[in-house]
């Protein structure tokens, strides 16, 4: 498995008040905002090598609620990783997809662990976090 997963990429949290949560993570905790999807209520803040993705309540095509949503694991080649994991019995919710579809910044695919926790494979396309110059 080590050859498939490069490391944790981000943990996503839903919130009803994106600006309040962004302010808490950046101004209270002192974490740096490292990216965002312009036009979407999504902000990434750095927590060491792993980011926290803050997802506002108005994010399209996302389940609603607050708190934990998913853990994203970074891979170098999502198609190869999905094929390898499917060969080991992992069932994906769908094939890898570009996100956002209109201007892809990453390729993603979702599956659940045996306890039902949502996991995402992510292959960044360009900068590691959207709207940032990092790579």
């Amino acid at each position: 498995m080590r050859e498939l997963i490069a490391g944790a990429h981000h943990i996503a949290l839903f919130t009803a008040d994106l600006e309040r949560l962004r302010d808490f993570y950046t101004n209270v905790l002192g974490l740096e905002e490292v990216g965002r999807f312009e036009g979407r209520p999504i902000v990434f803040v750095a927590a060491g090598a792993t980011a926290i993705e803050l997802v506002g309540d108005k994010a399209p095509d996302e389940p609603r609620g607050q708190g934990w949503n998913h853990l994203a694991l970074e891979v170098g080649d999502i198609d190869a990783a999905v094929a390898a994991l499917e060969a080991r019995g992992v069932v994906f919710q769908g094939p890898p997809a570009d996100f956002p579809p209109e201007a892809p910044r990453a390729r993603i695919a979702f599956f659940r662990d045996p306890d039902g926790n949502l996991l995402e494979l992510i292959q960044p396309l360009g900068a590691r976090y959207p709207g940032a110059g990092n790579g």
Side-chain angles (χ1 to χ4, degrees):
M1 278 308 283
R2 293 173 198 226
E3 70 278 1
L4 295 178
I5 306 298
H9 184 272
H10 68 267
I11 297 168
L13 300 176
F14 279 134
T15 179
D17 189 338
L18 180 60
E19 286 310 308
R20 183 198 62 184
L21 207 59
R22 187 199 64 75
D23 182 67
F24 174 79
Y25 279 94
T26 59
N27 294 325
V28 176
L29 296 183
L31 300 177
E32 178 185 1
E33 181 177 323
V34 294
R36 60 175 54 229
F37 283 108
E38 290 302 326
R40 294 177 183 264
I42 298 173
V43 173
F44 290 91
V45 294
T50 302
I52 301 168
E53 177 187 13
L54 308 175
V55 181
D57 192 49
K58 295 180 177 81
D61 303 323
E62 293 281 353
R64 301 296 182 240
Q66 291 182 186
W68 160 267
N69 178 251
H70 67 269
L71 168 63
L73 302 170
E74 187 171 340
V75 296
D77 181 339
I78 195 165
D79 296 301
V82 166
L85 291 172
E86 285 178 331
R88 297 175 186 169
V90 173
V91 177
F92 283 82
Q93 294 179 349
D98 292 343
F99 186 83
E102 66 277 5
R105 302 300 305 262
R107 289 188 37 81
I108 60 176
F110 289 90
F111 63 100
R112 294 194 180 272
D113 71 13
D115 283 345
N117 295 303
L118 187 60
L119 300 173
E120 173 188 6
L121 294 184
I122 182 169
Q123 177 186 343
L125 303 174
R128 190 161 189 239
Y129 301 106
N134 56 356

